[in-house]
Structures are given as structure tokens and as C-alpha cells.
Amino acid sequence: MASSKEYLEFVLEQLAELDEITYRAMMGEFIIYYRGKIVGGIYDDRLLVKPIKSAISYMPTAAYELPYDGAKEMLLVEDVDNKKFLTGLFNAMYDELPAPKPKKKKQTDTIDGAIGI
């Protein structure tokens, strides 16, 4: 089941106090970024975050769920109605999240630095 745009918009509204919240649609679901780092995503209209130490400490009783078949387990965020809780969670996680991987540069058709004509 794909996630609804309405649920995405609800979650984004809950996170509106944070700067640089972005998302990317991916196969009917949505990846959520905070200041360029992947925090988690929306899968089947559920907000799931990476199970890093800071998130586990912030939500010690959170359930582990699969975003999709074959994926690694993530933490289910149940308290999505609480803006303060969500912004606190994302802020607590930020420093521990891995930096985005650098994008690979496109190869150009050059020979020893000279462009073929």
C-alpha cells in the first residue's frame, strides 16, 4: 500500500518549526530528510525513523517495524500528533545521523584532459 500525500502533508506540518525538512517520493513512499540527512520516511502512512541510539533513547518503548519487505527494521513514531515531541526527536537524532554520501561526478568523454572533436 502506498502512502498518501495527505499523510505526508500532515507530518510535514507537524515538523514545520524545523528548518530544511525535505522529502523525496520513492516508489509510492516518502523519504524524509532533515538538513540534508535521511531521518526516516513515511511507509504505508506510518512515520518510521532510523533506529539509532538517540532515537531509541528518545522513544525507548517504540516498536520496530519493517518499512517494506526485505528492508531493515525502523522505529515506529506513534506520537505524530505532538509537534514538540517530533521536533525534539529530529533534533536529538541529527548529530548522530550519517552525512549524505557525495554524489558521483559524471564521466566525460575526454582523452588525457583533451576534448575530442
Side-chain angles (χ1 to χ4, degrees):
M1 175 180 113
S3 294
S4 69
K5 190 80 168 178
E6 292 78 19
Y7 188 74
L8 168 68
E9 289 169 1
F10 170 73
V11 171
L12 294 176
E13 177 61 32
Q14 295 297 92
L15 295 167
E17 293 178 14
L18 297 175
D19 291 331
E20 298 181 57
I21 293 289
T22 57
Y23 69 92
R24 181 186 313 176
M26 187 152 315
M27 296 171 24
E29 309 297 353
F30 302 97
I31 309 299
I32 305 293
Y33 297 82
Y34 179 33
R35 298 187 341 208
K37 295 180 178 182
I38 298 174
V39 178
I42 297 174
Y43 305 91
D44 298 329
D45 286 339
R46 301 169 298 160
L47 176 59
L48 302 177
V49 296
K50 291 184 171 196
I52 57 178
K53 289 178 185 178
S54 53
I56 294 166
S57 294
Y58 204 86
M59 304 184 305
T61 60
Y64 286 82
E65 296 199 6
L66 293 174
Y68 52 88
D69 289 339
K72 293 180 182 177
E73 288 184 326
M74 297 177 79
L75 294 175
L76 175 64
V77 180
E78 291 193 35
D79 203 1
V80 292
D81 291 331
N82 185 336
K83 286 184 179 188
K84 186 176 179 181
F85 174 82
L86 277 184
T87 57
L89 172 64
F90 276 47
N91 281 322
M93 293 177 67
Y94 181 78
D95 287 338
E96 190 179 344
L97 292 168
K101 294 179 183 175
K103 293 182 181 179
K104 293 181 181 178
K105 293 184 178 181
K106 293 182 181 179
Q107 272 188 318
T108 57
D109 293 331
T110 61
I111 302 171
D112 295 327
I115 298 176
I117 298 178

